[in-house]
Amino acid sequence: MSKDTLSITDNRTGKNYEVPIEHGTIKALDLRQIKVAADDFGLMTYDPAFMNTASCQSRVTFIDGERGILNYRGYPIEQLAEKSTYLETAYLVLNGELPTRAQHEDWVHNVTYHTMIHENVKELMGAFRYDAHPMGMLVSTVGALSTFYPGAKDIHDPLARRHQVYRLIGKIPTLAAFAYRHSVGMPYAYPDNDLSYCGNFLNMMFRMTETKYKVNPVLERALEVLFILHADHEQNCSTSAMRGVGSSGVDPYSAAAAAIAALYGPLHGGANEQVLRMLREIGSKDKVPAFIREVKESGGDVRLMGFGHRVYKNYDPRAKIIKKMADEVFEVTGRNPLLEIALELERIALEDEYFLKRKLYPNVDFYSGLIYQAMKFPVDMFPVLFAIGRMSGWLAQWQEMIEDKDQKIARPRQVYLGAPRRDYVAVEKRMAREAALTVA
Ligand code: CMC
């Protein structure tokens, strides 16, 4: 009869152990009983970068990386991208169910009425240099919000948490747009409550002198879809930062600032920006084969940005949706000339042994930048757009972590390989020793 257990024989001692298997995992702490001697610490696992370690149990997002499947709370990403709005999807990600009409109205109202930021935050933005990267500004201003809402420290009160959720989802587009306006020296455009979440963001970004900004419905919908696709992606680097920092009990603004910092990196959310820079550098379609050769010969130093994923070993389902949507956007904006280069890169890479063997396919960042650029977003705003969409996922995962009785402060172990205990040596003695060595 089969049993849900794992039998382990420790060949150092000849002892046998049986540990339970639950949900395809064993508990790392169950290995601690495996010891050579009574005063031995016990066996640990060594897993840098969490390649094969589940750090939590979650009900938010399901990914099957081999088959290219992504579901939020059970709903396929393709259906949400086609039928939902960003705020409806954010509600789903945060609450586990799609909202009723009344719940939806209440949610949209509350997010919309939390879009304003304190004038002092605006002044804080004024202190940044004109060419400050907007992600740096976002890390700072989101972190700074914690000083405006001391009640946010009450992380175990669900009502207080809900208020911070309204504020963070409501205010992040305002902070993002203000960071952009600062960089181009334009006066800030305040939120307009008559507009949708995405319409309002486009208004705050691009409104010039017109009394009422007219949002292009195709671009507004494209942004909705892009935010939906970025809403959550289970335990990625920034979400792990949100959970890890949040596990210390800090307020969600400080934890979200850490998540944004993690997202900023070129291997994570900063990749969409790097894709555009890479395409510009390649310059033309005929230079693609030479670039692919450079990637292959670099031994991993030069990467094809927007390709590869820790979890997906197949085409990223988000990239598929974005690629399809690009045509609709380009009909309004005109075709992005860099698209030719991107398509050629994809064509060659998907036929090349190097990429096939390593299962490297386009990820969400490969085509999103081309759409953002066609919509007139400057390149350094791309990771900021990612952060706006991902805020709902960060908060959902943070809430789940707080309510999870299994969770404690995140504190990994290490394997110490440094010097054994030794006694302090006075500087005179160290110099004398060095002098003796030099003479010798
Ligand atoms: N171009 C060329 N080679 C690559 C690439 C790439 N984009 N990605 C991975 N490889 C190679 C890598 O050199 C290694 O080769 P070898 O086995 O010969 O040493 C192999 O593939 C495995 O790569 P890895 O770095 O061990 O894989 P990982 O799971 O640690 O990294 C990744 C995943 C996303 C960081 C990586 O694929 C990468 O750097 N991609 C480019 C950056 C990028 O597009 N990031 C966005 C990720 S999706 C959205 C998000 O999370 O923000």
Side-chain angles (χ1 to χ4, degrees), residues 277-308:
R277 297 194 193 288
M278 173 189 78
L279 295 175
R280 278 186 186 150
E281 226 166 89
I282 295 172
S284 59
K285 199 172 146 184
D286 56 307
K287 305 237 174 65
V288 168
F291 179 73
I292 294 274
R293 214 173 311 123
E294 192 187 341
V295 169
K296 289 177 2 182
E297 287 167 4
S298 74
D301 289 345
V302 181
R303 295 204 161 196
L304 175 48
M305 298 310 284
F307 258 67

Side-chain angles (χ1 to χ4, degrees), residues 72-117:
Y72 298 157
R73 302 284 189 180
Y75 292 100
I77 192 68
E78 293 79 7
Q79 291 182 21
L80 293 169
E82 192 191 329
K83 298 182 177 145
S84 186
T85 61
Y86 173 66
L87 279 189
E88 188 187 58
T89 297
Y91 182 98
L92 167 73
V93 167
L94 279 151
N95 299 289
E97 294 297 336
L98 286 164
T100 61
R101 201 181 293 277
Q103 285 167 334
H104 185 256
E105 273 169 19
D106 184 60
W107 165 240
V108 172
H109 173 86
N110 279 308
V111 171
T112 308
Y113 279 79
H114 284 89
T115 47
M116 279 285 190
I117 54 170

Side-chain angles (χ1 to χ4, degrees), residues 1 59 70 82 106 229 310 420:
M1 199 155 99
R59 291 180 165 75
L70 168 61
E82 192 191 329
D106 184 60
L229 299 182
R310 171 65 57 79

Side-chain angles (χ1 to χ4, degrees), residues 51 233 236-237 263 266-272 275 295 299-311 313 316 318 354-355 358 360 363-365 386 390:
M51 297 289 283
H233 213 237
N236 55 84
C237 181
L263 188 74
L267 298 185
H268 191 11
N272 53 16
V275 170
V295 169
D301 289 345
V302 181
R303 295 204 161 196
L304 175 48
M305 298 310 284
F307 258 67
H309 201 276
R310 171 65 57 79
V311 181
K313 299 302 164 199
D316 182 334
R318 301 168 300 174
Y354 175 95
F355 295 91
R358 291 170 178 77
L360 302 171
N363 60 49
V364 68
D365 293 320
F386 195 149
R390 184 55 56 85

Side-chain angles (χ1 to χ4, degrees), residues 276 279-280 282-285 288 330 333-344 370-371 373-374 376:
L276 240 284
L279 295 175
R280 278 186 186 150
I282 295 172
S284 59
K285 199 172 146 184
V288 168
F330 294 157
T333 62
R335 199 173 155 96
N336 189 328
L338 296 175
L339 179 67
E340 291 290 308
I341 305 173
L343 288 171
E344 184 67 357
L370 290 172
I371 297 186
Q373 199 196 27
K376 304 265 181 298

Side-chain angles (χ1 to χ4, degrees), residues 100-390:
T100 61
R101 201 181 293 277
Q103 285 167 334
H104 185 256
E105 273 169 19
D106 184 60
W107 165 240
V108 172
H109 173 86
N110 279 308
V111 171
T112 308
Y113 279 79
H114 284 89
T115 47
M116 279 285 190
I117 54 170
H118 196 290
E119 289 290 293
N120 287 359
V121 181
K122 209 179 80 181
E123 283 162 29
L124 173 67
M125 289 206 178
F128 282 91
R129 282 177 62 100
Y130 72 93
D131 59 352
H133 196 291
M135 276 300 261
M137 291 179 73
L138 201 63
V139 171
S140 312
T141 48
V142 168
L145 288 183
S146 80
T147 65
F148 290 82
Y149 306 109
K153 289 188 181 6
D154 209 353
I155 58 165
H156 296 293
D157 174 2
L159 197 64
R161 280 206 305 264
R162 201 183 316 153
H163 270 106
Q164 316 324 322
V165 168
Y166 295 147
R167 287 186 179 126
L168 272 162
I169 294 189
K171 290 180 201 316
I172 191 169
T174 315
L175 295 173
F178 280 22
Y180 165 68
R181 304 284 284 210
H182 172 80
S183 71
V184 285
M186 285 204 323
Y188 302 118
Y190 282 77
D192 180 343
N193 285 1
D194 293 342
L195 300 173
S196 71
Y197 190 78
C198 293
N200 174 51
F201 176 57
L202 290 169
N203 170 61
M204 291 189 291
M205 282 288 299
F206 299 121
R207 182 174 156 206
M208 300 296 281
T209 52
E210 58 274 49
T211 36
K212 199 79 183 167
Y213 178 76
K214 266 220 158 351
V215 182
N216 183 303
V218 175
L219 303 188
E220 186 181 5
R221 180 64 203 159
L223 204 55
E224 292 274 358
V225 174
L226 285 158
F227 285 168
I228 290 170
L229 299 182
H230 286 92
D232 194 54
H233 213 237
E234 50 121 302
Q235 308 313 313
N236 55 84
C237 181
S238 55
T239 302
S240 303
M242 182 85 191
R243 279 180 173 262
V245 172
S247 76
S248 72
V250 77
D251 66 86
Y253 301 98
S254 303
I260 296 168
L263 188 74
Y264 192 2
L267 298 185
H268 191 11
N272 53 16
E273 181 179 351
Q274 298 308 322
V275 170
L276 240 284
R277 297 194 193 288
M278 173 189 78
L279 295 175
R280 278 186 186 150
E281 226 166 89
I282 295 172
S284 59
K285 199 172 146 184
D286 56 307
K287 305 237 174 65
V288 168
F291 179 73
I292 294 274
R293 214 173 311 123
E294 192 187 341
V295 169
K296 289 177 2 182
E297 287 167 4
S298 74
D301 289 345
V302 181
R303 295 204 161 196
L304 175 48
M305 298 310 284
F307 258 67
H309 201 276
R310 171 65 57 79
V311 181
Y312 292 119
K313 299 302 164 199
N314 200 324
Y315 214 103
D316 182 334
R318 301 168 300 174
K320 248 186 222 166
I321 297 168
I322 295 176
K323 193 177 171 189
K324 236 170 69 194
M325 198 174 66
D327 290 331
E328 287 162 34
V329 172
F330 294 157
E331 242 173 63
V332 175
T333 62
R335 199 173 155 96
N336 189 328
L338 296 175
L339 179 67
E340 291 290 308
I341 305 173
L343 288 171
E344 184 67 357
L345 272 173
E346 181 185 332
R347 189 187 69 75
I348 297 187
L350 294 187
E351 285 172 358
D352 192 293
E353 176 64 16
Y354 175 95
F355 295 91
L356 290 174
K357 200 173 112 202
R358 291 170 178 77
K359 299 191 175 170
L360 302 171
Y361 293 88
N363 60 49
V364 68
D365 293 320
F366 193 64
Y367 287 109
S368 60
L370 290 172
I371 297 186
Y372 292 144
Q373 199 196 27
M375 289 171 81
K376 304 265 181 298
F377 286 104
V379 175
D380 56 9
M381 279 296 284
F382 296 0
V384 172
L385 296 163
F386 195 149
I388 297 175
R390 184 55 56 85

